[in-house]
Amino acid sequence: NDVRTVWVGAIRVVIAELGNAMRGYLHKAGRFLEAKQVRKFFMLHNDCLTYHSDLHKTSIISGLRMFSGKTTVETEGPKTLIMKTNLRDNKFWKLRAENEEERDKWVNAIREKVAKLGFMEVDYENTKVDDISKESLHSGFLSVRPKSGNVEWEDRFFMLTETELYQFEDDSSMAPEHVYVLSPNCSVFETKLQEHSFEFVTNSKVLHTQGENAEVTAGWIKKLREAI
């Protein structure tokens, strides 16, 4: 009954969020021919903007652009907005609304989402181990399941602060391999993938990792839960 209550509550929250979400048709400029604009159905989420072929096929995502603390939205002319990632990829979407009022609603809605989101993983790519050593709540080596599917897990150095979990190749690295931004939506729990393994889930990433022993794993799980 308790599990059912939790699920019902979570579903109601999602439905409420969807009801208040910004959505509608916009014209998207083509990748190579700016003059060619295609009408797509767009949906604004807490951490991204997606587009779909039409209103009735929102379960199929045709395109997605994640937000970060560096995301900006500019206006051009009476109907156009330009959303930029401002990252190394230099990607942007140029979108046209039916009128200026509709365009401004999209601009304000996206800016509000970005402001609430705060910084994400991509905003910490130049952070060094020494830069956060004084802020660290917990640190140490853990084994990480490789994405390549190799059987042998790889050792990595982790540092936990009040707002992020940093993953480095070792304890003298000049930049993190990954940064996991903490929020109340994060979760951490033990798994059976390996002995003493556990999983850490954020809004945009999943980390499968393993402590050297049960005590190390329990310590990390405790510290992560306290931080989120």
Side-chain angles (χ1 to χ4, degrees), residues 11-220:
I11 292 172
R12 284 175 176 170
V13 169
V14 172
I15 292 174
E17 290 178 350
L18 288 174
N20 297 324
M22 187 76 184
R23 59 180 66 191
Y25 284 98
L26 294 168
H27 288 82
K28 180 180 179 295
R31 182 179 299 179
F32 303 108
L33 298 176
E34 187 174 313
K36 183 180 180 181
Q37 296 192 340
V38 182
R39 188 171 181 261
K40 299 290 184 180
F41 187 78
F42 283 79
M43 295 182 65
L44 179 61
H45 308 269
N46 287 333
D47 57 358
C48 67
L49 180 66
T50 61
Y51 69 82
H52 315 261
S53 59
D54 61 51
L55 169 64
H56 306 291
K57 296 181 180 179
T58 54
S59 61
I60 302 174
I61 299 176
S62 301
L64 179 150
R65 187 71 78 236
M66 294 295 300
F67 298 147
S68 82
K70 297 181 179 180
T71 300
T72 58
V73 188
E74 305 169 358
T75 59
E76 181 180 278
K79 302 178 183 180
T80 302
L81 65 95
I82 303 173
M83 190 180 79
K84 298 181 178 180
T85 63
N86 294 305
L87 302 174
R88 293 177 181 176
D89 56 22
N90 292 318
K91 291 183 177 179
F92 67 91
W93 276 354
K94 192 169 186 177
L95 311 172
R96 178 172 58 82
E98 293 298 326
N99 52 61
E100 186 174 2
E101 181 181 1
E102 182 185 355
R103 188 274 312 273
D104 290 344
K105 286 182 180 180
W106 276 103
V107 170
N108 293 332
I110 294 173
R111 287 174 176 170
E112 183 179 344
K113 292 294 186 182
V114 171
K116 287 183 178 179
L117 186 65
F119 286 90
M120 292 185 68
E121 286 86 349
V122 294
D123 299 305
Y124 299 92
E125 58 187 12
N126 296 320
T127 304
K128 303 175 184 178
V129 170
D130 291 341
D131 294 338
I132 57 173
S133 58
K134 294 181 180 180
E135 304 175 30
S136 178
L137 303 176
H138 198 61
S139 63
F141 282 93
L142 293 169
S143 297
V144 177
R145 187 178 73 171
K147 292 183 179 180
S148 59
N150 293 335
V151 176
E152 187 172 346
W153 289 30
E154 303 167 342
D155 289 342
R156 290 294 185 267
F157 186 73
F158 287 83
M159 298 187 75
L160 176 66
T161 70
E162 291 183 351
T163 52
E164 300 90 28
L165 174 66
Y166 293 83
Q167 176 183 323
F168 297 91
E169 185 175 0
D170 54 46
D171 56 1
S172 60
S173 296
M174 300 299 288
E177 293 181 323
H178 298 285
V179 182
Y180 305 85
V181 176
L182 309 185
S183 77
N185 296 325
C186 294
S187 60
V188 56
F189 47 87
E190 294 183 66
T191 64
K192 296 182 179 180
L193 294 176
Q194 294 278 3
E195 188 176 14
H196 315 310
S197 64
F198 65 96
E199 180 175 321
F200 179 56
V201 182
T202 73
N203 287 334
S204 58
K205 290 185 178 182
V206 176
L207 170 66
H208 294 283
T209 188
Q210 173 190 26
E212 182 181 4
N213 52 50
E215 183 179 355
V216 170
T217 293
W220 273 103

